[in-house]
Amino acid sequence: MESDLKAIDNYSEILNLHMLEYKSSGYYWQVGEITGVQGWLLHISIVRGQVARLLNSILATLISSGASFRIPKDKDTARNILDGTLGTVKVGKVITIYPETENAAVFLAKELVQLTKSFNGPVIPTDAHLGGNVYTRYGAFNPVLVTDAYGQVSNFIYSSEGELIPDDYSIPFALPKGISWPFDQIKHLSIPSEKKILNARYKPIGVLKTDPRGNVYKALRLKNMFQLSFCVIKQGKLNMWCDDSNRDINTRLLWQQELHRKLGASVQLPKVFDFFVQDEDGYLVMEYIKGPSLYDKITALNKNASAWFALTADQKSTILNYVLELSGIVSAFHANHYIHRDITPVNFIVNKQNHLIPIDIELSYSIDEQAPFPPFESGTHGFMSPQQEVAKPPAYKDDVYGLGATMVTLLTGLSPVTFDIQDSLQHAKNLDVFIQEPSLANVIARTMSLHPADRPSINEIQGSIKQSLSQVNSANSEVESKDIHRRDLFNLNSLINKAIKGLISDPTVMSNGLWYYKRQNPGTISGKEKVEFEKKGGLSDGIAGTLYCLAKAQKAGYNVSDCQEMYINGWKYLKDTYLDNLSNIPPGLYGGASGIALSMVEGMEAGMIDNSLENRELISQYLHLIPTTPDLATGTAGQVLAIRQCVNYIEDSSLELLFQRNISLLTEGLQESKFWVWVNNEKKKVVPLMSFAYGNTGIAWLLLHYSEKNKNKIVSQAIENTLSHLKNLVPLLKKAITKTGHRNLLSGNAEIWDGVQGLILTFLKAYQVTGIQAYKALAKDLLYTYPPYPVHDNLNQETGLSHLGEIYLEAHQILGEEEWRDRATWIVKLIVHTSIQEGNDACYWLYNNENFPTAGFLYGNSGLVHFLIRYLHPDKIGYRFSN
């Protein structure tokens, strides 16, 4: 029986053995109906090799209790829950139980504590431990879903006073206000304190990395009574990352200690000082190497995210020398008969002597010892060979793949997952667009061949790098690619048709005929996270945005008939979710009713939605919700934009009145101030928010659109007042951009980046409306801060390169200067050569290190499709969300 249970992959088999009825609920099988809004949840933590045996042991007790419960669907789901790849808040919560009453929770917990004492499981960080493998927290059973002004849905529960409060997952566990602890007869509530001293001689002074498996600390090490030094401490939490062989993260840390001892004479590694266990967690203490990761070093070197061929000879030489040194380290591993198995730019530190030091080598495998056996699982998404991903026996060519993937990142600035690697010849052509060195691009593409035998040797890779170095060092000047601006290199119409088909084809995330959109979990493991997906209705990253894109494509002359069924399903979801209860949706453009109304009008104009009285009245209802903020994304300005485009299609005098009322509200908002939106900056000083979506530039841009066709002295004065202050920001922003570079802005500082883009759009529109040359000069001043050939993983329409492409097209249209269309052409080339083919008739894009593509507009493939269509048909399709 024991061996039979171990062989079970899908845990529904166990439910069937007990003749239980169940249904699918996301990642879980659910038994029983979960009633009530909130209460005490019981969670059972269990290592994945014991899940089936535990279920078989406790199911009779769960059945007799009458409580509803959820279990993971299969082994892979259990692994993702346990490993933290579904988020820290889910770690350890393999089985979730929903007792109907507090007394029932206490009674059932007593039994389960006894039944689980012989099992192992990791700590559940959000819960209080009751004993055995049983944990508890007070939270939502069926949460009250609250949609904020941004269209984001959050879980809420009721406080003891009956007020709605967020269902917070505090770490460590904390009792919600007004809730008492009912489990005293099992265990008194105690909150573990943070360890200030480890093993009597290590004092953590900072967290270098937060990780569900165990944090990485920078610490002080007491060598003797009078001598302190810095060290790094890697924590291994008990039973975390426990595999089918019952080896947890501490087994890996011990193996890393052994690797450092055996390889230290051949490879420069951090010294290992100690390994100890405290409170059941393991700790590996190593030498602290001061310096950035190789990834951070290279991104700082190329802070503007310029293409390889646009870099200076010194920049290229520096990067190639790092690659050459990295290949030498890999060779040293292989010479000692070890396979590294986790070669990425973040797993090597650049020390003060400018040399690479490998870190995180615990996945390494010894050929001579055939150890560890079985090899440790996992690796880094995009850098693992296909063979390593499916747990084939380790081979040296796995490291060749990882080395090639790292070269892709260092030389192109893009994640290796961005490229289609199915055909090595095409992969080489795509890489060469960015590298402009065919022989080097060919070698890199071969390193990532799906077939190990086709991958080159380390010696061949080194020869290619040395040849490239020789060419760089002998070059008298930088050679710009001759075909960057040629527009006959690709059949864009064909690609767009494939991309439209890709919106309804695997692997785009869909379920039951609906698109799903990503929801990034807090606390996931960098580079190894999975993303949860959910249904969303909004224009920016939900169904309305995808429907909007398809309608735009239809109006531009593309055949979207294959998408019609999904389109109707999406429209039905929007009606079913929001029609009967408008309180479910905020009024805003990006995540709310105004955006859905705009999407509906586009659908009606494209003939994809019936132009019925019912639909027109529904659009009017959506546009009459009252915003509470002035901005474009969530407030009055966004509603004005939507009404402006709907009012000519829907004859409704009340919409015209609402339009004028909102314009008055926006202009009146400037009577006492220079701007509409103010925020506290890092120094707690109140400053104007420049963001296009959520701040002042978007509102100014909207009013300029209004004044283009409506002469209104009050509006004109408000715009002039705001523009006079906005222009003073340009020198400050240019200085900030010069210091930080555009890579930093693309990578995460959306507020500043969004503000820069907003200023450009506003000054372009101001020039178009007024003809004042100063506004043209300001717009160009900011446009010229961008590198001519930017390369970055962020391709999205929120703050990424496809939005920059839209801005270039806007500049070309308004200024009439060919340079801006040329710059848009480079971004089109980048997008074309990072498309991934799905069969013969569909394609998609993976960017920002995604695992799966989604169909969102600001954050998915629909936005890229919109940009490509606009590039070809600027007369048929305008700037996003406006005509």
Side-chain angles (χ1 to χ4, degrees):
M1 181 64 178
E2 179 78 19
S3 60
D4 291 341
L5 289 172
K6 282 186 177 180
I8 291 176
D9 285 328
N10 191 315
Y11 299 134
S12 63
E13 294 181 38
I14 300 176
L15 299 179
N16 291 331
L17 285 173
H18 288 261
M19 295 182 289
L20 288 170
E21 293 184 3
Y22 55 91
K23 64 181 180 181
S24 174
S25 178
Y27 294 107
Y28 307 94
W29 300 122
Q30 178 178 316
V31 176
E33 293 301 320
I34 300 170
T35 59
V37 173
Q38 63 201 62
W40 285 100
L41 300 100
L42 300 179
H43 291 115
I44 300 181
S45 174
I46 184 73
V47 296
R48 73 176 194 242
Q50 298 177 354
V51 173
R53 185 161 61 89
L54 174 76
L55 281 170
N56 201 54
S57 299
I58 67 170
L59 275 178
T61 299
L62 292 179
I63 294 167
S64 65
S65 74
S68 303
F69 59 93
R70 286 175 177 164
I71 67 170
K73 286 185 173 179
D74 48 41
K75 275 188 175 180
D76 283 342
T77 303
R79 178 178 60 198
N80 290 329
I81 293 169
L82 289 162
D83 290 355
T85 50
L86 292 181
T88 300
V89 298
K90 282 187 169 62
V91 166
K93 297 174 182 176
V94 179
I95 301 170
T96 303
I97 306 162
Y98 303 84
E100 290 189 358
T101 66
E102 192 174 277
N103 288 336
V106 174
F107 183 81
L108 181 56
K110 280 184 182 178
E111 293 192 76
L112 292 173
V113 166
Q114 296 302 316
L115 288 170
T116 60
K117 280 186 174 179
S118 63
F119 293 91
N120 301 318
V123 169
I124 298 179
T126 64
D127 287 25
H129 185 218
L130 293 175
N133 282 23
V134 183
Y135 294 76
T136 188
R137 70 177 290 270
Y138 188 89
F141 286 17
N142 291 294
V144 178
L145 302 179
V146 176
T147 306
D148 64 17
Y150 305 95
Q152 299 299 315
V153 179
S154 301
N155 294 348
F156 277 66
I157 58 176
Y158 291 102
S159 70
S160 55
E161 290 81 24
E163 297 178 348
L164 281 177
I165 58 173
D167 184 19
D168 286 332
Y169 289 84
S170 59
I171 299 175
F173 170 80
L175 277 172
K177 185 179 178 181
I179 301 298
S180 58
W181 176 253
F183 298 99
D184 274 331
Q185 55 186 287
I186 301 175
K187 188 174 183 180
H188 294 302
L189 179 62
S190 62
I191 307 300
S193 59
E194 189 74 22
K195 303 178 183 74
K196 294 183 178 180
I197 300 293
L198 296 172
N199 205 31
R201 54 177 173 161
Y202 304 107
K203 179 177 176 56
I205 58 174
V207 179
L208 298 175
K209 180 182 177 183
T210 302
D211 196 312
R213 299 168 296 180
N215 294 332
V216 181
Y217 298 98
K218 182 179 179 181
L220 285 172
R221 171 182 174 237
L222 179 63
K223 293 183 180 179
N224 53 50
M225 287 290 291
F226 307 102
Q227 193 174 8
L228 289 172
S229 65
F230 290 120
C231 64
V232 171
I233 302 178
K234 295 178 71 173
Q235 177 189 30
K237 293 183 179 179
L238 178 68
N239 291 323
M240 275 302 299
W241 274 45
C242 206
D243 61 18
D244 288 334
S245 300
N246 208 31
R247 302 172 302 182
D248 67 2
I249 187 65
N250 287 313
T251 311
R252 298 190 183 208
L253 293 183
L254 286 168
W255 174 242
Q256 182 172 354
Q257 181 184 34
E258 182 73 3
L259 288 168
H260 281 246
R261 185 182 66 81
K262 292 181 175 178
L263 284 168
S266 305
V267 180
Q268 189 175 358
L269 296 166
K271 296 174 184 175
V272 172
F273 299 131
D274 197 1
F275 180 87
F276 61 90
V277 176
Q278 184 170 324
D279 297 332
E280 298 188 295
D281 291 342
Y283 296 88
L284 180 67
V285 185
M286 296 186 296
E287 175 188 7
Y288 174 68
I289 307 290
K290 186 176 182 179
S293 70
L294 177 58
Y295 178 82
D296 289 338
K297 183 76 173 181
I298 299 305
T299 53
L301 180 70
N302 183 11
K303 65 180 182 180
N304 269 328
S306 292
W308 174 262
F309 60 79
L311 298 181
T312 66
D314 284 345
Q315 287 174 310
K316 291 180 181 179
S317 179
T318 298
I319 294 170
L320 288 170
N321 275 306
Y322 282 134
V323 174
L324 196 60
E325 184 177 1
L326 176 59
S327 67
I329 293 171
V330 177
S331 286
F333 268 75
H334 292 184
N336 285 274
H337 303 164
Y338 284 89
I339 303 167
H340 188 287
R341 303 182 72 240
D342 201 13
I343 299 169
T344 79
V346 299
N347 280 343
F348 295 84
I349 295 290
V350 182
N351 68 7
K352 289 190 292 186
Q353 290 75 38
N354 203 32
H355 289 299
L356 300 183
I357 309 297
I359 57 173
D360 292 336
I361 64 170
E362 70 266 19
L363 288 186
S364 297
Y365 179 82
S366 168
I367 293 291
D368 291 342
E369 300 175 37
Q370 295 189 21
F373 185 81
F376 290 132
E377 299 173 353
S378 193
T380 302
H381 175 56
F383 295 84
M384 282 186 292
S385 72
Q387 292 72 32
Q388 186 173 339
E389 284 191 8
V390 296
K392 289 286 183 69
Y396 294 124
K397 289 299 178 77
D398 293 332
D399 281 353
V400 171
Y401 187 100
L403 179 58
T406 297
M407 291 172 68
V408 168
T409 298
L410 298 183
L411 271 67
T412 71
L414 296 170
S415 166
V417 304
T418 308
F419 291 95
D420 190 339
I421 64 170
Q422 298 172 81
D423 181 334
S424 290
L425 291 177
Q426 185 59 50
H427 188 197
K429 290 177 182 178
N430 291 335
L431 289 172
D432 192 45
V433 168
F434 303 93
I435 298 173
Q436 296 292 310
E437 293 184 34
S439 60
L440 183 59
N442 179 61
V443 169
I444 296 173
R446 286 170 52 215
T447 63
M448 298 183 68
S449 170
L450 299 177
H451 309 291
D454 294 338
R455 296 172 197 158
S457 66
I458 300 290
N459 284 339
E460 185 180 349
I461 295 169
Q462 290 176 330
S464 182
I465 298 167
K466 290 174 182 176
Q467 181 181 0
S468 185
L469 260 172
S470 176
Q471 292 171 353
V472 167
N473 293 331
S474 63
N476 295 321
S477 61
E478 302 305 316
V479 179
E480 183 178 305
S481 169
K482 296 178 181 179
D483 66 353
I484 290 301
H485 302 313
R486 286 179 59 193
R487 296 176 192 144
D488 58 347
L489 293 180
F490 37 79
N491 186 342
L492 257 189
N493 272 319
S494 174
L495 186 79
I496 291 168
N497 282 319
K498 287 184 175 184
I500 291 169
K501 183 67 178 293
L503 294 176
I504 59 163
S505 304
D506 288 335
T508 299
V509 182
M510 301 168 288
S511 180
N512 298 320
L514 279 176
W515 289 286
Y516 277 60
Y517 304 85
K518 65 180 179 181
R519 176 180 60 206
Q520 188 68 50
N521 291 296
T524 49
I525 302 170
S526 176
K528 299 178 173 67
E529 67 268 9
K530 286 189 177 289
V531 177
E532 284 194 83
F533 301 94
E534 62 183 348
K535 289 179 286 188
K536 295 183 182 181
L539 186 66
S540 64
D541 63 340
I543 288 173
T546 305
L547 303 187
Y548 177 86
C549 176
L550 289 172
K552 286 283 192 181
Q554 173 108 326
K555 289 168 65 177
Y558 290 91
N559 182 359
V560 300
S561 58
D562 287 340
C563 304
Q564 186 65 28
E565 183 179 351
M566 283 282 286
Y567 185 98
I568 296 301
N569 290 344
W571 166 228
K572 184 176 184 301
Y573 169 79
L574 294 178
K575 289 183 67 175
D576 292 346
T577 305
Y578 304 118
L579 175 61
D580 296 330
N581 187 1
L582 290 179
S583 63
N584 277 353
I585 185 170
L589 179 70
Y590 278 20
S594 294
I596 292 177
L598 183 59
S599 180
M600 286 181 65
V601 164
E602 289 294 335
M604 290 165 67
E605 289 184 342
M608 302 180 76
I609 296 177
D610 290 338
N611 182 7
S612 63
L613 177 62
E614 177 188 2
N615 283 339
R616 292 197 298 272
E617 289 178 345
L618 181 58
I619 290 171
S620 181
Q621 288 182 58
Y622 279 160
L623 293 173
H624 275 85
L625 298 182
I626 301 174
T628 59
T629 58
D631 61 78
L632 193 68
T634 69
T636 303
Q639 190 178 68
V640 168
L641 185 148
I643 294 173
R644 179 176 179 267
Q645 293 176 230
C646 294
V647 73
N648 294 328
Y649 196 75
I650 301 171
E651 296 180 4
D652 186 338
S653 58
S654 66
L655 280 181
E656 183 62 40
L657 290 173
L658 179 60
F659 181 83
Q660 295 300 334
R661 171 184 169 275
N662 283 347
I663 292 292
S664 297
L665 283 174
L666 290 174
T667 53
E668 288 168 7
L670 282 186
Q671 297 304 310
E672 304 295 332
S673 173
K674 298 175 289 189
F675 298 106
W676 294 270
V677 185
W678 298 79
V679 294
N680 290 321
N681 65 9
E682 294 176 354
K683 298 179 180 178
K684 298 185 179 179
K685 181 181 178 181
V686 178
V687 296
L689 181 64
M690 288 302 99
S691 168
F692 185 68
Y694 301 104
N696 295 288
T697 53
I699 303 171
W701 174 84
L702 183 278
L703 288 178
L704 282 161
H705 269 273
Y706 170 82
S707 66
E708 191 173 16
K709 295 182 179 179
N710 301 274
K711 302 306 177 184
N712 183 308
K713 288 185 178 180
I714 297 176
V715 174
S716 297
Q717 185 59 50
I719 293 170
E720 186 178 338
N721 184 37
T722 300
L723 289 174
S724 68
H725 295 289
L726 287 176
K727 67 183 182 182
N728 295 328
L729 296 173
V730 173
L732 298 174
L733 279 171
K734 285 180 63 181
K735 184 177 180 181
I737 292 168
T738 301
K739 181 179 179 181
T740 63
H742 280 292
R743 180 185 295 280
N744 178 54
L745 298 179
L746 268 171
S747 298
N749 200 329
E751 179 183 311
I752 296 176
W753 180 267
D754 191 24
V756 174
Q757 294 182 341
L759 278 173
I760 294 171
L761 288 165
T762 300
F763 289 136
L764 285 172
K765 197 67 188 177
Y767 169 67
Q768 185 181 37
V769 172
T770 68
I772 296 173
Q773 291 291 320
Y775 295 137
K776 173 182 177 180
L778 288 165
K780 291 180 68 171
D781 216 15
L782 287 172
L783 282 166
Y784 277 124
T785 67
Y786 291 87
Y789 310 111
V791 179
H792 199 279
D793 281 329
N794 185 1
L795 303 182
N796 70 35
Q797 274 271 8
E798 183 205 22
T799 58
L801 290 181
S802 63
H803 189 222
L804 179 59
E806 296 257 6
I807 293 171
Y808 283 148
L809 294 178
E810 196 80 350
H812 175 253
Q813 179 184 344
I814 293 172
L815 304 180
E817 297 173 356
E818 200 65 15
E819 176 180 1
W820 308 114
R821 183 159 172 83
D822 286 342
R823 288 199 177 203
T825 300
W826 164 251
I827 296 175
V828 171
K829 286 179 69 73
L830 185 154
I831 292 172
V832 167
H833 288 279
T834 55
S835 62
I836 299 175
Q837 302 302 305
E838 183 62 32
N840 295 321
D841 60 351
C843 72
Y844 60 91
W845 289 267
L846 291 174
Y847 54 89
N848 285 344
N849 209 32
E850 294 171 333
N851 289 289
F852 300 98
T854 58
F857 194 98
L858 290 191
Y859 312 105
N861 280 208
S862 290
L864 274 65
V865 172
H866 183 276
F867 167 58
L868 295 178
I869 293 175
R870 188 183 177 203
Y871 177 83
L872 279 188
H873 305 284
D875 56 327
K876 297 180 180 179
I877 184 170
Y879 177 67
R880 67 183 196 196
F881 308 149
S882 66
N883 292 322

